[in-house]
């Protein structure tokens, strides 16, 4: 059975072993994430190069997503290792304390301006919300707190302000340098952490293009205030990632499920790709099978229409990277069997702006009502397949293109399969035969199957798709009516 939902896997120390890298490619990973929060530029470039080399060896197209660290606000290090805090303890976050001088009563902070962003009554959440601190008062460079939820606290844990409102810019100086590295590696997608407005995405895109990058922009939705202008952020982006860790900490865990469903629906309505991320199968960092709750989590995201589901530490640092992908693959396939995962009323009552968009929507309506076996888009930019992928369907969409950048881009689109294909003839009937022959070679169709092919009159022109052809495999393919 063809899996439509795409799987992202984060590369890291656990995947540096060539044998492990081969196993995750064999397991079916579609896109890899390179996390710029850890490691050096040289390590990132090496991982991207090795991944693409091994993917080529397997005859696979695997995309690369470069994930910027963003203004991650963290505590500094403790002098004598982790501490244990109890409810009611007084504890201070001290912007003036040197890194490595933390003790039982205080610790330094990496973001010195935090003292200007908080006031009495605020709640600071540390280590993904595992510890909660109530701000008693702010004095000079010190934020004096009372522990509301205690526990073990160790070096370099992240800090969130409940409800949002931190003033840190989305792009740090480190991020701006990392954008150059992402461009150098030819990243297919660049993920921007903690954006609060569309301008954050526009700036990242500008810097990425100036550095020579051509990939799409991913807005990671993880700040509470981003939800106040979410449509503008989505419009500025090519992809949104529902980054549930920091977002859940800021808005509260109970508010997260309906927000996730809304963001998936909104992203698809606005013709943007959606990634659902964070702790999807976290137990598989240590265990060989997921929990039942994790199975439900992945399945529900698929049923809601997410384009992709993502693994983080499960593959970057876990004991069983390939098994995590295999388990996620199995869950996605089973969820996709459900009727609600392959139905859609997307844009039934709206007008189309472009001819190629109208062809894409017409194709999906026709294919879903004619028991078509495969859909082929002869595409330059991949836009036709993006529009097609917004419609719920169990039919594979093949992006036939001669552009490697386009093949890498569509690895993230739900239900879309990249195929390397160069147009060598101006004869439309011959071109149709070549397309069908490629599908037969892949074992995707056989005699008697129906195939829908979309293309443009002028090969090599982006946005030029203006025709849809229905052919039956095994029949004599007649010339298009314009010949």
């Amino acid at each position: 059975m063809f899996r439509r939902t795409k799987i992202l896997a984060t590369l890291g120390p656990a995947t540096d072993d060539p044998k492990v890298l081969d196993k995750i490619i064999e397991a079916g990973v579609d896109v890899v994430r390179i996390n710029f929060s850890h490691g050096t530029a040289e390590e990132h470039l090496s991982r991207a190069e090795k991944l693409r080399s091994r993917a080529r060896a397997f005859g696979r197209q695997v995309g690369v997503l470069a994930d910027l660290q963003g203004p991650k606000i963290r505590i500094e290090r403790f002098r004598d290792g982790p501490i244990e805090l109890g409810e009611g303890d007084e504890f201070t976050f001290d912007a003036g304390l040197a890194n490595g001088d933390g003790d039982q009563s205080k610790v330094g902070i990496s973001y010195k301006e935090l003292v200007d962003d908080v006031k009495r009554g605020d709640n600071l959440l540390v280590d993904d919300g595992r510890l909660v601190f109530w701000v008693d008062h702010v004095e000079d460079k010190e934020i004096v707190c009372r522990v509301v939820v205690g526990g073990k606290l160790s070096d370099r844990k992240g800090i969130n302000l409940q409800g949002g409102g931190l003033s840190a810019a989305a792009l740090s100086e480190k991020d701006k340098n990392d954008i150059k590295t992402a461009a150098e590696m030819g990243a297919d997608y660049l993920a921007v952490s903690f954006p609060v407005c569309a301008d954050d995405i526009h700036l990242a895109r500008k810097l990425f293009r100036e550095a020579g990058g051509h990939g799409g922009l991913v807005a990671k939705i993880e700040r509470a205030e981003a939800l106040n202008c979410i449509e503008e952020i989505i419009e500025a982006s090519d992809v949104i990632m529902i980054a549930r860790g920091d977002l859940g900490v800021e808005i509260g865990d109970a508010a997260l499920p309906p927000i996730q469903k809304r963001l998936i629906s909104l992203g698809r309505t606005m013709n943007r790709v959606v990634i659902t991320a964070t702790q999807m199968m976290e137990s598989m960092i240590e265990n060989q099978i997921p929990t039942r709750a994790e199975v439900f989590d992945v399945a529900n995201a698929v049923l809601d229409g997410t384009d992709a589901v993502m693994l983080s530490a499960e593959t970057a640092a876990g004991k069983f990277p390939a098994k995590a992908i295999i388990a996620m693959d199995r869950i996605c396939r089973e969820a996709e069997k459900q009727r609600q995962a392959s139905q859609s009323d997307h844009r039934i009552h709206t007008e189309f702006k472009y001819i190629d968009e109208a062809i894409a929507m017409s194709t999906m309506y026709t294919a879903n009502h004619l028991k078509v076996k495969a859909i082929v888009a002869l595409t330059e930019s991949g836009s036709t397949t993006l529009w097609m992928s917004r419609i719920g369907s169990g039919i594979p969409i093949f992006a036939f293109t001669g552009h490697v950048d386009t093949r890498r881009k569509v690895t993230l689109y739900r239900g879309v399969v990249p195929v390397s294909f160069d147009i060598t003839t101006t004869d439309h009937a011959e071109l149709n035969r070549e397309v069908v022959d490629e599908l037969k070679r892949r074992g995707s169709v056989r005699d008697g199957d129906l195939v829908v092919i979309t293309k443009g009159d002028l090969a090599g022109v982006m946005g030029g798709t203006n025709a849809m052809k229905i052919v039956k495999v095994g029949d004599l393919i007649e010339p298009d009516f314009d010949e």
Side-chain angles (χ1 to χ4, degrees):
M1 173 186 166
F2 168 67
R3 169 170 53 79
R4 303 195 305 282
T5 308
K6 301 304 178 75
I7 296 176
L8 277 82
T10 304
L11 300 186
T15 60
D16 285 341
D17 183 335
K19 293 181 180 178
V20 175
L21 189 61
D22 284 356
K23 285 181 180 178
I24 71 169
I25 294 172
E26 287 184 291
V29 66
D30 297 290
V31 181
V32 298
R33 168 179 173 253
I34 296 179
N35 185 1
F36 280 29
S37 296
H38 309 284
T40 65
E42 291 73 21
E43 288 173 333
H44 302 324
L45 292 168
S46 175
R47 281 174 177 153
E49 182 181 354
K50 289 176 182 176
L51 177 280
R52 285 177 172 149
S53 174
R54 295 310 302 156
R56 283 193 296 270
F58 281 93
R60 292 280 316 283
Q61 194 72 67
V62 179
V64 173
L65 184 150
D67 193 346
L68 300 176
Q69 175 177 296
K72 189 71 174 180
I73 299 169
R74 301 178 184 273
I75 64 171
E76 298 289 14
R77 302 181 186 279
F78 291 93
R79 183 185 302 119
D80 300 316
I83 63 169
E84 191 74 30
L85 293 171
E87 182 179 338
D89 289 351
E90 182 177 291
F91 191 78
T92 299
F93 298 96
D94 188 346
L97 192 66
N99 187 10
D101 282 352
D103 58 26
Q104 187 64 38
S105 64
K106 60 185 179 300
V107 72
I109 50 178
S110 61
Y111 181 61
K112 309 305 180 184
E113 292 78 5
L114 183 63
V115 296
D116 300 318
D117 291 343
V118 301
K119 62 184 183 304
R120 177 181 170 85
D122 284 340
N123 282 321
L124 293 176
L125 303 104
V126 180
D127 192 11
D128 288 334
R130 292 181 176 87
L131 289 86
V132 181
F133 299 81
W134 181 79
V135 178
D136 183 85
H137 64 277
V138 179
E139 183 177 343
D140 193 19
K141 296 182 179 181
E142 296 184 345
I143 305 169
V144 182
C145 303
R146 290 287 174 185
V147 177
V148 177
V149 178
K152 181 180 178 181
L153 183 58
S154 57
D155 297 342
R156 302 290 294 161
K157 297 302 182 184
I159 307 175
N160 293 86
L161 174 61
Q162 191 171 49
L166 295 179
S167 61
L171 292 177
S172 65
E173 288 305 313
K174 178 184 184 303
D175 293 328
K176 293 175 182 178
N177 287 325
D178 285 342
I179 285 175
K180 297 175 183 177
T181 303
E184 184 180 350
M185 73 168 56
D188 304 300
Y189 291 95
L190 177 72
V192 181
S193 298
F194 303 100
V196 295
C197 63
D199 285 345
D200 292 334
I201 305 301
H202 292 315
L203 175 58
R205 190 185 298 275
K206 175 177 178 289
L207 295 174
F208 193 36
R209 296 292 181 261
E210 288 175 351
H214 301 287
L217 269 291
V218 182
K220 295 173 65 178
I221 310 303
E222 47 193 341
R223 276 184 168 174
E225 51 264 49
L227 299 176
N228 298 328
C229 55
I230 189 61
E231 292 192 20
E232 291 86 351
I233 292 175
I234 295 174
E235 184 68 33
S237 310
D238 302 291
V239 182
I240 62 168
M241 180 190 294
I242 309 170
R244 304 179 303 178
D246 286 285
L247 182 61
V249 169
E250 292 205 357
I251 68 174
D253 52 8
L256 194 56
I259 290 294
Q260 174 176 310
K261 289 179 178 292
R262 178 186 169 222
L263 289 175
I264 292 174
S265 175
L266 191 56
R268 293 183 64 81
T269 299
M270 295 178 68
N271 291 321
R272 297 301 188 269
V273 175
V274 182
I275 302 167
T276 305
T278 315
Q279 297 178 334
M280 299 212 79
M281 308 188 83
E282 191 173 28
S283 71
M284 290 195 72
I285 296 172
E286 297 289 340
N287 303 313
Q288 298 192 51
I289 59 172
T291 67
R292 298 297 178 263
E294 290 166 343
V295 171
F296 271 80
D297 184 30
V298 173
N300 279 326
V302 173
L303 292 172
D304 287 340
T306 192
D307 286 89
V309 285
M310 193 176 95
L311 296 164
S312 297
E314 299 96 329
T315 52
K319 294 180 179 178
F320 312 103
K323 288 186 177 181
I325 294 171
I326 291 169
M328 188 168 266
D329 174 90
R330 180 178 69 249
I331 297 163
C332 289
R333 290 175 188 270
E334 193 64 34
E336 288 170 4
K337 293 179 183 177
Q338 307 309 306
R339 189 174 180 85
Q340 70 194 82
S342 59
Q343 289 186 327
S344 176
D345 59 1
H346 178 65
R347 303 199 65 189
I348 284 180
H349 306 294
T350 59
E351 294 183 359
F352 305 130
K353 294 181 180 179
Y354 310 104
I355 293 173
D356 48 348
E357 182 181 12
I359 293 294
M361 297 298 99
S362 301
T363 296
M364 296 310 297
Y365 183 87
T366 300
N368 280 338
H369 288 76
L370 196 59
K371 294 184 179 179
V372 165
K373 194 69 174 180
I375 299 163
V376 174
L378 296 170
T379 182
E380 296 291 319
S381 68
S383 295
T384 306
T385 59
L386 173 61
W387 286 318
M388 289 175 176
S389 70
R390 302 306 86 192
I391 302 296
S393 172
I395 305 167
I397 302 164
F398 294 90
F400 277 48
T401 179
H403 302 294
V404 66
D405 287 348
T406 300
R407 293 197 296 274
R408 290 173 179 170
K409 182 195 302 182
V410 304
T411 55
L412 201 53
Y413 298 176
R414 180 167 171 144
V416 178
V417 181
V419 178
S420 178
F421 185 83
D422 291 311
I423 298 176
T424 58
T425 178
T426 57
D427 183 296
H428 287 272
E430 178 61 28
L431 181 57
N432 291 339
R433 280 190 285 271
E434 290 179 1
V435 167
V436 170
D437 286 345
E438 175 61 24
L439 291 178
K440 291 178 71 174
R441 187 188 69 79
R442 289 170 164 265
S444 301
V445 298
R446 59 186 179 183
D447 287 353
D449 289 338
L450 292 178
V451 176
V452 179
I453 303 171
T454 67
K455 55 190 172 183
D457 289 333
L458 300 175
V461 177
M462 290 192 179
T465 298
N466 61 2
M468 177 183 77
K469 179 88 172 180
I470 304 170
V471 301
K472 179 179 284 188
V473 179
D475 285 5
L476 176 67
I477 297 177
E478 299 294 338
D480 289 348
F481 45 74
D482 60 338
E483 295 184 284

